[in-house]
Amino acid sequence: MKKLSCVIVDDEPLAVQLLETFVQRTEFLDYKKAFTDPIEASAFLAQNKVDLLFLDIQMPDVNGLELARSLNGQTKIIFTTAFKEFAFDSYEFAAIDYLLKPIRYAKFLQAVQRAKDWFDAQAISLEQQSAAGTADNVAETKNADSLFLRVDGEWRKVEFEKILFVEGMKDYVMFHLEGERRPVVTHLTMKAVEQSLPNQSFMRVNRSFVVALDKIRTVDRNLCLYIGDEIIRVTDQYKPAFESFLNSRMPGK
């Protein structure tokens, strides 16, 4: 099993120590180095290939968001922050996840498992990656209540009613389903996902997420959606359509 190389960047030594402990407890992570100075971290990342970066957002001199903008995109990011409002900025970078301090190992493990799923998706066979087009990896069924996804060379049936949300990760997407711990990963674009799902039941709410509207439990004042164990923010580009949907479901509207 390939291990994911990891670097930690946080100006708080105790936070670094905690993350080091968590990384070393997780068998598929390969701890490389930690930095309390983001400038030193930036120099290291420019010269070394790193799979996964645990990055504090609020730091002096260069904050985590500024450091993230300087990366080449090959390194995936899990943001760490003590302030929930800063975590919303992670959507700008299509971050793997964000962790709110104080960080618990259960939440840490959930985030790094998501990172592992993403890297596993990158390892899909060359045959699937060289498919003629992304549409070749999805097929609708005749009764329009499900679709088939090409997964590891086979077709997997996915029923619409079981989809919680779909998460885009560059050239791959993850279908998160009710009752299943691991997402279904296939080689698709988010545009292809939108075209394949019924628009009366699903809506794109930011660059990385399409959600099942009937699976939303709560919408908070910041237009963050609570679905399953996930909190998904509606970004500015998608607010008008979502607010229109929300208003249509309110009594007296």
Side-chain angles (χ1 to χ4, degrees):
M1 176 177 61
K2 178 186 181 298
K3 292 191 174 186
L4 303 182
S5 57
C6 303
V7 163
I8 299 166
V9 182
D10 197 309
D11 64 317
E12 300 176 8
L14 289 178
V16 170
Q17 185 178 1
L18 179 65
L19 285 171
E20 285 177 334
T21 300
F22 287 171
V23 169
Q24 290 164 355
R25 285 177 59 185
T26 309
E27 63 177 4
F28 58 84
L29 298 181
D30 179 18
Y31 174 63
K32 292 299 184 184
K33 202 163 185 177
F35 296 89
T36 55
D37 183 341
I39 296 175
E40 290 181 6
S42 180
F44 178 85
L45 292 166
Q47 299 295 323
N48 296 274
K49 183 181 181 301
V50 173
D51 294 321
L52 191 58
L53 176 63
F54 296 94
L55 181 58
D56 186 24
I57 291 180
Q58 194 175 36
M59 295 183 292
D61 299 326
V62 177
N63 68 35
L65 300 178
E66 292 169 332
L67 178 55
R69 290 189 184 97
S70 72
L71 301 179
N72 59 18
Q74 295 179 349
T75 299
K76 305 310 293 182
I77 300 172
I78 294 177
F79 283 111
T80 61
T81 178
F83 304 96
K84 187 174 182 179
E85 59 269 25
F86 286 126
F88 296 150
D89 293 317
S90 66
Y91 289 99
E92 177 186 346
F93 304 96
I96 289 286
D97 209 339
Y98 66 85
L99 295 169
L100 288 174
K101 298 177 180 178
I103 299 169
R104 294 181 292 115
Y105 183 66
K107 287 293 185 182
F108 172 89
L109 192 58
Q110 186 179 58
V112 296
Q113 182 62 56
R114 177 172 289 179
K116 183 178 182 299
D117 289 340
W118 188 89
F119 281 99
D120 286 346
Q122 300 301 299
I124 291 177
S125 68
L126 291 176
E127 178 181 353
Q128 181 173 341
Q129 293 184 44
S130 61
T134 56
D136 292 339
N137 286 334
V138 60
E140 297 181 16
T141 56
K142 291 183 179 179
N143 59 7
D145 62 0
S146 61
L147 50 74
F148 281 90
L149 301 174
R150 190 186 292 277
V151 181
D152 295 331
E154 300 178 343
W155 289 97
R156 162 75 187 272
K157 183 179 180 180
V158 173
E159 297 175 348
F160 293 152
E161 65 179 16
K162 292 187 177 180
I163 299 172
L164 293 171
F165 56 90
V166 185
E167 180 181 3
M169 308 290 282
K170 198 175 179 182
D171 295 329
Y172 295 85
V173 295
M174 299 181 183
F175 282 74
H176 295 262
L177 308 178
E178 282 186 315
E180 298 195 21
R181 187 179 65 84
R182 296 177 66 87
V184 176
V185 181
T186 190
H187 187 246
L188 278 178
T189 64
M190 290 298 285
K191 182 178 180 180
V193 170
E194 286 185 278
Q195 293 171 344
S196 302
L197 296 174
N199 56 20
Q200 69 271 23
S201 302
F202 294 87
M203 182 179 292
R204 190 165 183 176
V205 295
N206 63 51
R207 186 175 65 173
S208 302
F209 286 89
V210 170
V211 304
L213 296 171
D214 65 349
K215 298 299 193 299
I216 300 171
R217 299 195 319 274
T218 306
V219 182
D220 71 17
R221 69 183 63 185
N222 296 309
L223 280 190
C224 290
L225 315 181
Y226 292 71
I227 303 177
D229 295 326
E230 189 72 20
I231 303 174
I232 301 170
R233 187 189 185 197
V234 182
T235 54
D236 290 343
Q237 179 182 350
Y238 301 93
K239 278 183 181 179
F242 183 78
E243 288 176 338
S244 177
F245 156 77
L246 202 58
N247 288 333
S248 72
R249 298 295 181 93
M250 292 181 178
K253 296 290 185 178

